[in-house]
Amino acid sequence: MNFIINREELLIPLQQIVSVIEKRQTMPILSNVLMVIEDDQLILTGTDLEIQIVAKISLANATAGAITVPARKFLDICRLLPSGAEIKFDQQDDKVKILSSRSRFSLSCLPAEHYPEFAESDFEQQFFITAGQFKKALDKTLFCMANQDVRYYLNGLLLHISNSKFKLVASDGHRLAIYEDQLEQPTGYEARIILPRKGVSELSRLLDDPDAELKVEFSNNNIRIFIKNLVFSAKLVDAKYPDFGKVFQQEFFNPIHIQKQLLKEALTRVAILSNEKFKGVTLDIDPDGLKISTHNPDHDEAEEELPIEYIGEPLTIAFNAQYILDAVSNLDSELAVLTVASNASSCFINDPNDSMYKFIVMPMRL
């Protein structure tokens, strides 16, 4: 196996693949990237057995073969070579020689036949979406995913397809983000799947060209997404996502309209003196205005008052300041609308002009 390639052609796909490979592996070969040359194509594969990325690069005058190369060492060599450098790759038994101008490297490798196969079932469903549309939906929800929660379905993102509509939902049990949008082509089916946390983060990173057309295929166990010359695959979370629809079926106080930027700045200032662990702030709401206050175990206190538009009885409710900030930062308009449930069990944060995005946060007891 030998070929010559420009550094830039190899570097970007290699960076995308190496990010999936875990630093600590149970199998040494999983620290390597699989390199296969067939039909004048270089195929690079990296996996942690839960997620896999495959990149295809067209080559001319390459000799067919297959080998696995230490991923991070190979990436560092390519990254530190000068821009525009030509790289010559030559396999000799269980070693590969990498030559570029005056640089010479020799890497010990492992045979390709020992590289584990990524198990995938038949893909029954598919849909098409642009990368920009999918990335926007991911970025507005993924920050709400739980991290290492025992309720493992929360360590992921629900994707709900209903004919020509798609919905993404993420929650860590304390807050919930929902993003809905339309697909250009009706799918003719209804399905719910849960994408794993690491897969969602990797996928968001890969969607760097908003105009790219994605082909998304999935089954009960796997998802596969074609992104230009990349193929992203992930095992799905085997669980049922809880029914969050009941949170909408309750009585609410009148909505509170407030300038988004004023709220963000006030929350950020007040949160400085909140309890470091819980970040709790109290909101006192009445038609005259909003008072945000906090205190901490050191007996420090902070308080801010803001003008709001609200008609209704006064109410007091406490939240984690960071949860409110995350939600408000994802609104596209200048105005934020807060709607508190009449039993004070939750607060909705919406964009007044956009019904596609909803954020729900649970209150705290201070």
Side-chain angles (χ1 to χ4, degrees):
M1 172 181 178
N2 57 62
F3 60 89
I4 296 172
I5 193 169
N6 187 282
R7 169 186 176 266
E8 273 58 39
E9 279 188 85
L10 184 58
L11 185 60
I12 291 172
L14 201 53
Q15 285 173 324
Q16 291 168 324
I17 283 169
V18 168
S19 72
V20 165
I21 296 171
E22 296 285 351
K23 285 191 171 73
R24 292 189 180 88
Q25 293 288 359
T26 49
M27 298 164 64
I29 201 163
L30 288 178
S31 300
N32 287 13
V33 58
L34 172 65
M35 302 179 72
V36 178
I37 289 184
E38 59 184 29
D39 303 329
D40 285 334
Q41 265 196 335
L42 169 61
I43 303 163
L44 304 170
T45 304
T47 184
D48 64 358
L49 297 182
E50 296 296 319
I51 299 162
Q52 176 177 277
I53 296 178
V54 179
K56 297 181 180 180
I57 306 166
S58 295
L59 287 177
N61 308 318
T63 308
I67 191 83
T68 78
V69 182
R72 291 182 194 280
K73 290 176 185 172
F74 187 34
L75 173 62
D76 286 344
I77 289 168
C78 294
R79 193 168 49 82
L80 294 169
L81 284 170
S83 184
E86 209 162 63
I87 298 170
K88 187 178 180 192
F89 187 97
D90 193 9
Q91 179 193 346
Q92 296 170 355
D93 299 323
D94 62 346
K95 294 235 172 194
V96 296
K97 292 204 168 1
I98 299 165
L99 315 173
S100 181
S101 185
R102 298 178 185 179
S103 305
R104 306 278 186 280
F105 305 92
S106 178
L107 289 175
S108 296
C109 301
L110 292 168
E113 56 264 30
H114 295 164
Y115 199 78
E117 194 173 331
F118 191 77
E120 289 183 316
S121 53
D122 291 336
F123 295 97
E124 300 112 12
Q125 318 286 17
Q126 69 173 43
F127 65 93
F128 295 89
I129 190 170
T130 63
Q133 189 182 12
F134 202 31
K135 181 172 172 60
K136 183 180 181 184
L138 287 172
D139 290 349
K140 283 191 179 290
T141 48
L142 61 79
F143 65 92
C144 275
M145 290 186 294
N147 191 8
Q148 297 181 323
D149 197 295
V150 290
R151 299 162 294 181
Y152 55 95
Y153 48 81
L154 294 182
N155 304 319
L157 190 74
L158 173 70
L159 168 61
H160 180 193
I161 303 287
S162 181
N163 196 19
S164 58
K165 284 184 182 174
F166 82 94
K167 182 189 292 182
L168 290 183
V169 182
S171 175
D172 61 7
H174 304 289
R175 53 185 174 162
L176 179 99
I178 304 170
Y179 186 88
E180 296 180 73
D181 205 351
Q182 292 280 341
L183 296 169
E184 282 189 16
Q185 303 169 12
T187 60
Y189 62 80
E190 178 142 350
R192 289 166 170 251
I193 54 173
I194 304 174
L195 281 62
R197 181 187 172 86
K198 182 182 173 185
V200 170
S201 304
E202 288 298 328
L203 185 55
S204 176
R205 207 177 37 77
L206 294 174
L207 303 179
D208 53 359
D209 177 3
D211 299 323
E213 178 82 12
L214 309 182
K215 181 185 180 188
V216 183
E217 301 177 336
F218 62 91
S219 63
N220 289 335
N221 307 315
N222 297 85
I223 187 166
R224 183 167 67 191
I225 302 175
F226 296 84
I227 313 163
K228 294 194 288 193
N229 63 334
L230 290 180
V231 183
F232 167 91
S233 304
K235 291 183 178 172
L236 298 174
V237 178
D238 182 16
K240 191 169 184 287
Y241 210 79
D243 179 18
F244 53 86
K246 290 173 187 160
V247 75
F248 297 97
Q249 298 159 7
Q250 56 181 328
E251 298 288 316
F252 292 93
F253 288 108
N254 288 335
I256 302 144
H257 292 76
I258 186 166
Q259 289 294 321
K260 178 179 82 172
Q261 197 57 33
L262 289 178
L263 180 59
K264 276 176 69 175
E265 290 168 1
L267 278 169
T268 307
R269 287 191 292 264
V270 171
I272 295 167
L273 297 186
S274 64
N275 182 309
E276 284 183 19
K277 187 177 178 185
F278 303 112
K279 291 284 177 200
V281 295
T282 301
L283 274 56
D284 290 301
I285 302 153
D286 67 44
D288 296 330
L290 165 68
K291 185 175 84 174
I292 305 172
S293 59
T294 193
H295 57 83
N296 62 29
D298 298 328
H299 305 292
D300 301 324
E301 293 180 1
E303 189 178 290
E304 289 240 5
E305 291 186 14
L306 297 175
I308 57 171
E309 287 180 33
Y310 171 66
I311 300 165
E313 58 189 89
L315 58 130
T316 298
I317 192 163
F319 295 105
N320 179 315
Q322 192 57 52
Y323 292 172
I324 302 280
L325 278 169
D326 287 343
V328 171
S329 299
N330 274 286
L331 299 178
D332 293 328
S333 75
E334 294 305 308
L335 207 60
V337 181
L338 279 63
T339 313
V340 179
S342 56
N343 60 359
S345 63
S346 56
C347 174
F348 282 59
I349 300 170
N350 294 68
D351 187 324
N353 310 317
D354 185 2
S355 59
M356 291 157 64
Y357 181 60
K358 293 183 183 70
F359 185 94
I360 302 161
V361 62
M362 309 302 164
M364 297 174 66
R365 283 179 171 75
L366 291 182

